[in-house]
């Protein structure tokens, strides 16, 4: 009570309005003796410049994020190498020179392809396209006839999506045994047999040749219940490789990205992209690490590899495509380099063995940033990206706290020294604490439930400001539900983002993880989801942002360029589920941060009410002459924290912006239950 009294006096001193109690302040509000929380914003006390790249994305090949996700390719297993997964091949089953499992069984039918019209399909390592795609599918179509076309069928990544009046690009490599006269027909057909688009391709000979054509759909409804077919009515034997089908892509980029997913990302205005992982940069073993040199150049020269998340990656979405993605969305790359440690805990044991990987990382940086006079800059230009990319941060490895051998200490030091010597301006991120070097930044990951996230929502306020190493929260998420979070996740996330914003003097940037999940098959063998909690969901045709996505977007779009001091009294608490073992725990239920736009003087105050009841809050602003009576509130709220968005109701919970009044340097406003609010206040 004394505390409340003194607070009342303090606020009364600076402003004519007084702090009220909930019972008397808000008519119709439940009678309670709890004092109204007071949030004090010191608008003239700038505690940090908001880093322009504060909000970003983290990405890796997980949950069919690229193949079957962002990457426009619609054909699954286009290079016929996915069987390496089924056979559960280990690193030493590979011939490193061939990038292809040496023990791979012949005469098996390739995964995700079917035959039609009595054709037989077998994998053939004796008829490779080239060194990288050193297998092909041999199609025995001797049964083909005018009335019964024979060939191959692909069902895509849980469907082949089609939109009406849209042009799709087909390409493939083919050769034929002598006597085959062709032609081939490429088509998209509905699963009940209706031809949606088709084209005839002639000229298949005894030599490998690439063919390209387009398929144009007519009017009709969008659908994903379709297949792609490549057939012939002429009997014979043909071989196929790199069979590809692309829809129109975002910004029409060749080998580019899916439009709807790109648009969701662009709408949230992320400023950086942390890639390629996550675990994906490490790989399960050395053979399957993110070997960027095998992921550049023409896609048919990329051998592909086994993603650590259990499925084959053609690597059509490789290093240049990450950069193209950055370019199209306006993000700066944050490059994670392979650091000589893999997920099976294998690692190099001495500095001589590490050195090739250090050089590989330096060359990768050159690929991203170099000009035409450099070897790898010139290669990037050849790959279609004339301008060097702005690169400010490089991360050495990923989650190396899992490496109990202690090797990260010297592995990091070797990378640090080499990168610092060649690129002195680059900031170097460590993935765990190191002693022998001062990392510029440390990557701090956190994945917890809502209660735990809210409980840690003041973590960085307590960080020692004399620590020279800044913080990058390179992976974080509140994990209430699968495959994408409910409102509970958005509330925990927003509480956490308030913490990150308040502490932007030590937290230089952050990103949610994982970003994407294909929700087509959530369980069982060959499932599309490997990680249960993700920001954006989709199937072959449609996509949606979770409430957590909209929370991200609200914060990203209302950033300001300066963080100002904010403090609170009388913070309310709620009784929240403690975790897996049951029980409850008291956690705060009100979270806040304040920034401003220095050019216009606009104040941006974010308030999160994670309680199931409405919460009146007094906002007391000092350090400005006045605050206009009118402003705006952008609110994301739900009737219950279990509400969510999904494919059927993609926009059930979205932020709504409204004009508000009765604002000033001291005002009391009631924040709805389970809500995230961004107040925009015009201050002078
Ligand atoms: O985001 C999913 C995984 O979580 C990342 O690959 C890894 O870095 C972390 O353990």
């Amino acid at each position: 009570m004394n505390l409340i009294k003194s607070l009342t006096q303090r606020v009364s001193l600076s402003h004519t309005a007084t702090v009220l109690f909930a019972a008397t302040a808000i008519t119709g509000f439940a009678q309670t003796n709890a004092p109204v929380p007071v949030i004090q914003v010191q608008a003239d006390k700038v505690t940090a410049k908001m880093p322009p790249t504060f909000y970003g994305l983290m990405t890796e090949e997980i949950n069919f994020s690229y193949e079957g996700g962002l990457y426009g390719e619609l054909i699954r297993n286009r290079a016929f190498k996915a069987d390496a997964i089924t056979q559960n091949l280990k690193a030493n089953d590979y011939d490193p020179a061939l990038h292809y499992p040496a023990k791979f069984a012949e005469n098996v039918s390739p995964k995700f392809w079917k035959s039609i019209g009595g054709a037989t399909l077998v994998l053939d390592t004796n008829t490779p396209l080239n060194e990288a795609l050193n297998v092909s599918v041999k199609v025995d179509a001797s049964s083909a006839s005018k009335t019964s076309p024979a060939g191959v069928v692909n069902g895509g990544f849980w469907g082949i999506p089609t939109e009406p009046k849209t042009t799709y690009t087909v390409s493939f490599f083919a050769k034929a045994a002598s006597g085959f006269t062709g032609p081939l027909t490429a088509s998209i057909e509905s699963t009940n047999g209706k031809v949606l688009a088709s084209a005839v391709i002639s000229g298949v000979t005894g030599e490998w040749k690439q063919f390209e054509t387009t398929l144009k759909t007519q009017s009709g409804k969008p659908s994903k219940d379709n297949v792609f077919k490549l057939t012939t009515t002429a009997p014979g034997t043909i071989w196929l490789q790199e069979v590809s089908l692309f829809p129109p892509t975002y910004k029409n980029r060749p080998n580019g990205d899916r439009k709807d997913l790109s648009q969701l990302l662009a709408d949230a205005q992320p400023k950086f992209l942390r890639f390629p992982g996550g675990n994906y940069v490490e790989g399960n073993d050395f053979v399957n690490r993110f070997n960027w040199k095998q992921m550049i150049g023409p896609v048919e020269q990329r051998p592909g590899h086994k993603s650590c998340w259990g499925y084959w990656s053609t690597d059509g979405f490789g290093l240049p495509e990450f950069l193209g993605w950055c370019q199209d969305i306006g993000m700066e790359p944050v490059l994670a380099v392979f650091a000589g440690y893999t997920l099976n805990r294998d690692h190099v044991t001495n500095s001589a063995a590490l050195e090739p990987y250090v050089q590989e990382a330096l060359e990768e940086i050159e690929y991203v940033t170099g000009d035409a006079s450099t070897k790898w800059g010139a290669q990037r230009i050849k790959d279609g990206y004339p301008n060097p990319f702005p690169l400010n941060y490089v991360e050495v490895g990923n989650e190396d706290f899992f490496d109990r051998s202690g090797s990260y200490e010297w592995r990091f030091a070797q990378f640090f020294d080499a990168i610092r010597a060649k690129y002195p301006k680059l900031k170097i991120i460590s993935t765990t604490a190191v002693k022998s070097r001062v990392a510029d930044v440390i990557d701090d990951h956190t994945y917890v439930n809502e209660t735990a996230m809210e409980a840690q929502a003041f973590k960085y306020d307590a960080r020692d400001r004399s620590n020279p190493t800044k913080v990058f929260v390179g992976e974080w998420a509140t994990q209430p539900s699968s495959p994408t979070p409910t409102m509970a996740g958005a509330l925990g996330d927003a509480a956490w983002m308030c913490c990150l914003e308040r502490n932007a003097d030590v937290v230089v940037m952050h990103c949610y993880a994982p970003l994407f999940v294909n929700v087509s098959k959530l369980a069982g063998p060959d499932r599309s989801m490997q990680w249960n909690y993700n920001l954006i969901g989709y199937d072959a045709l449609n996509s949606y942002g979770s409430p957590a996505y909209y929370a991200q977007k609200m914060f990203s779009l209302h950033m300001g360029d300066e963080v100002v001091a904010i403090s609170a009294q009388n913070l309310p608490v709620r009784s929240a589920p403690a975790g897996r073992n049951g029980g409850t725990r008291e956690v705060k239920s009100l979270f806040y941060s304040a920034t401003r736009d220095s050019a216009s003087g606009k104040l941006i105050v974010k308030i999160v009410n994670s309680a199931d009841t409405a919460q009146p809050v007094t906002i007391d602003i000092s350090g400005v002459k006045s605050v206009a009576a009118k402003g705006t509130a952008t609110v994301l709220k739900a009737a219950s924290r279990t509400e969510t968005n999904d494919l059927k109701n993609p926009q059930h919970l979205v932020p709504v912006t409204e004009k508000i009044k009765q604002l000033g340097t001291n005002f009391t406003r009631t924040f709805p239950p389970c809500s995230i609010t961004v107040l925009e206040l015009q201050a002078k």
Side-chain angles (χ1 to χ4, degrees):
M1 195 63 188
N2 283 343
L3 174 76
I4 298 160
K5 213 165 158 191
S6 69
L7 173 70
T8 307
Q9 283 161 353
R10 210 153 76 78
V11 176
S12 304
L13 281 178
S14 53
H15 296 283
T16 46
T18 42
V19 174
L20 301 172
F21 286 80
T24 52
I26 311 294
T27 41
F29 195 74
Q31 290 287 311
T32 160
N33 288 327
V36 173
V38 179
I39 289 183
Q40 287 148 327
V41 179
Q42 289 175 267
D44 57 347
K45 189 170 170 197
V46 174
T47 56
K49 288 278 174 203
M50 181 61 96
T53 52
F54 198 59
Y55 288 91
L57 305 177
M58 182 271 168
T59 177
E60 64 179 315
E61 182 59 278
I62 183 174
N63 301 322
F64 291 81
S65 285
Y66 314 142
E67 312 226 349
L70 184 71
Y71 185 39
E73 179 62 78
L74 299 179
I75 301 295
R76 187 157 184 201
N77 193 16
R78 72 179 182 196
F80 306 107
K81 288 180 137 186
D83 290 80
I85 299 290
T86 324
Q87 297 185 20
N88 197 22
L89 296 162
K90 303 282 180 298
N92 55 9
D93 294 329
Y94 286 74
D95 178 339
L98 293 175
H99 326 292
Y100 193 69
K103 288 186 186 166
F104 192 84
E106 295 271 340
N107 296 324
V108 293
S109 184
K111 280 183 84 158
F112 313 118
W113 289 90
K114 284 189 179 142
S115 64
I116 186 172
T120 56
L121 319 182
V122 290
L123 290 172
D124 182 358
T125 49
N126 296 317
T127 316
L129 174 65
N130 55 36
E131 202 181 289
L133 300 188
N134 52 354
V135 66
S136 59
V137 67
K138 180 179 177 185
V139 185
D140 177 348
S142 47
S143 59
S145 70
K146 286 239 151 50
T147 52
S148 176
V152 299
V153 184
N154 190 278
F157 295 89
W158 300 279
I160 299 270
T162 53
E163 301 278 349
K165 299 196 169 175
T166 302
T167 302
Y168 296 81
T169 305
V170 177
S171 66
F172 58 90
F173 289 84
K175 65 179 273 187
S178 61
F180 180 73
T181 52
L184 297 174
T185 299
S187 62
I188 302 175
E189 298 183 19
S190 71
T191 45
N192 54 23
K194 184 174 174 209
V195 178
L196 303 177
S198 74
V200 172
I201 304 112
S202 310
V204 180
T205 66
E207 300 302 320
W208 280 113
K209 235 167 65 181
Q210 190 172 23
F211 298 87
E212 189 171 308
T213 188
T214 55
L215 298 177
K216 184 154 185 211
T217 54
Q218 306 302 309
S219 51
K221 284 191 181 152
S223 156
K224 66 178 176 61
D225 299 324
N226 310 305
V227 295
F228 170 79
K229 289 184 181 174
L230 200 51
T231 56
T232 180
T233 53
T237 299
I238 48 176
W239 287 264
L240 300 169
Q241 182 45 280
E242 197 74 345
V243 182
S244 169
L245 176 68
F246 262 79
T249 57
Y250 188 65
K251 300 199 170 172
N252 292 320
R253 180 176 293 291
N255 198 43
D257 299 343
R258 184 169 150 172
K259 282 182 168 182
D260 57 338
L261 293 176
S262 299
Q263 195 57 56
L264 273 172
L265 300 180
D267 290 349
Q269 296 180 13
K271 298 297 188 305
F272 71 86
L273 180 71
R274 173 180 176 238
F275 70 87
N279 290 350
Y280 192 57
V281 70
E282 301 164 90
N284 280 341
D285 44 48
F286 276 82
V287 171
N288 289 298
R289 71 185 191 280
F290 187 85
N291 190 347
W292 68 271
K293 287 185 187 170
Q294 294 189 0
M295 303 180 191
I296 58 176
V299 290
E300 68 273 12
Q301 300 292 343
R302 303 183 194 179
H305 79 292
K306 182 175 167 176
S307 145
C308 60
W309 294 103
Y311 53 95
W312 187 260
S313 172
T314 65
D315 296 336
F317 197 98
L319 184 53
E321 288 70 28
F322 281 107
L323 296 176
W325 183 10
C326 286
Q327 189 168 304
D328 288 350
I329 307 288
M331 302 179 289
E332 174 180 311
V334 172
L335 181 67
V337 296
F338 176 73
Y341 175 85
T342 67
L343 291 168
N344 66 3
R345 306 205 166 176
D346 197 3
H347 60 85
V348 293
T349 51
N350 59 60
S351 90
L354 185 63
E355 196 49 29
Y357 299 109
V358 173
Q359 291 309 317
E360 209 174 74
L362 294 176
E363 290 167 333
E364 191 174 7
I365 295 168
E366 186 177 289
Y367 183 93
V368 176
T369 62
D371 62 23
S373 67
T374 63
K375 175 177 174 191
W376 293 106
Q379 177 65 45
R380 185 203 63 244
I381 293 167
K382 206 169 151 198
D383 290 345
Y385 297 92
N387 299 321
F389 284 78
L391 185 72
N392 290 304
Y393 293 94
V394 168
E395 180 159 1
V396 179
N398 177 61
E399 293 193 338
D400 288 85
F401 45 82
F402 282 115
D403 174 9
R404 308 267 184 234
S405 75
S407 75
Y408 191 65
E409 189 63 49
W410 62 265
R411 285 190 289 113
F412 179 78
Q414 199 168 326
F415 274 91
F416 183 95
D417 293 349
I419 296 171
R420 181 71 8 120
K422 185 149 187 209
Y423 298 100
K425 287 192 185 147
L426 275 184
K427 300 229 172 2
I428 303 169
I429 306 171
S430 73
T431 71
T432 188
V434 284
K435 294 196 192 83
S436 69
R437 301 290 182 281
V438 179
D440 299 304
V441 181
I442 184 165
D443 185 355
D444 193 13
H445 294 178
T446 184
Y447 293 110
V448 287
N449 65 23
E450 186 197 357
T451 307
M453 193 60 108
E454 289 167 7
Q456 68 179 19
F458 291 86
K459 171 176 173 175
Y460 295 118
D461 300 81
R463 186 172 167 89
D464 175 5
R465 264 45 192 179
S466 68
N467 189 334
T469 300
K470 303 285 186 190
V471 177
F472 168 35
V473 191
E475 290 181 28
W476 65 263
T478 311
Q479 302 182 316
S481 57
S482 180
T484 51
T486 55
M487 187 65 193
L491 291 168
D493 291 353
W496 180 240
M497 286 189 283
C498 283
C499 172
L500 303 177
E501 277 198 0
R502 273 195 318 275
N503 294 288
D505 58 325
V506 292
V507 178
V508 289
M509 54 191 178
H510 70 89
C511 42
Y512 188 103
L515 177 62
F516 285 138
V517 60
N518 186 318
V519 298
S520 298
K521 189 164 187 276
L522 298 180
D526 185 37
R527 59 184 175 274
S528 61
M529 179 176 76
Q530 286 77 45
W531 188 272
N532 288 343
Y533 318 95
N534 311 284
L535 198 64
I536 290 172
Y538 48 87
D539 63 10
L541 189 64
N542 295 307
S543 54
Y544 68 96
S546 65
Y549 160 82
Y550 287 106
Q552 288 275 321
K553 183 175 167 184
M554 283 170 77
F555 274 67
S556 168
L557 266 50
H558 298 96
M559 213 167 76
D561 61 345
E562 291 177 338
V563 182
V564 297
I566 189 165
S567 56
Q569 281 81 35
N570 309 336
L571 281 183
V573 292
R574 71 183 180 99
S575 182
R580 281 202 198 106
N581 299 331
T584 56
R585 171 179 179 191
E586 286 217 323
V587 285
K588 293 189 176 73
S589 61
L590 190 68
F591 307 91
Y592 47 82
S593 71
T595 59
R596 64 174 208 160
D597 173 30
S598 58
S600 66
K602 181 170 76 180
L603 273 178
I604 304 163
V605 180
K606 301 185 178 93
I607 303 285
V608 182
N609 175 22
S610 72
D612 294 317
T613 51
Q615 179 64 60
V617 179
T618 294
I619 299 189
D620 179 62
I621 302 165
S622 62
V624 289
K625 281 192 200 131
S626 64
V627 169
K630 291 182 181 170
T632 65
T634 301
V635 184
L636 177 66
K637 63 179 179 183
S640 117
R641 62 197 336 103
T642 57
E643 289 193 0
T644 197
N645 297 335
D646 56 22
L647 281 179
K648 283 196 185 127
N649 288 298
Q651 303 259 306
H652 177 57
L653 301 179
V654 293
V656 174
T657 301
E658 57 173 327
K659 293 202 165 109
I660 55 171
K661 36 193 193 189
Q662 294 179 322
L663 307 171
T665 51
N666 184 291
F667 63 93
T668 299
R669 185 174 172 80
T670 298
F671 293 87
C674 298
S675 68
I676 302 163
T677 302
V678 178
L679 298 174
E680 290 175 86
L681 311 172
Q682 291 306 329
K684 277 194 204 148

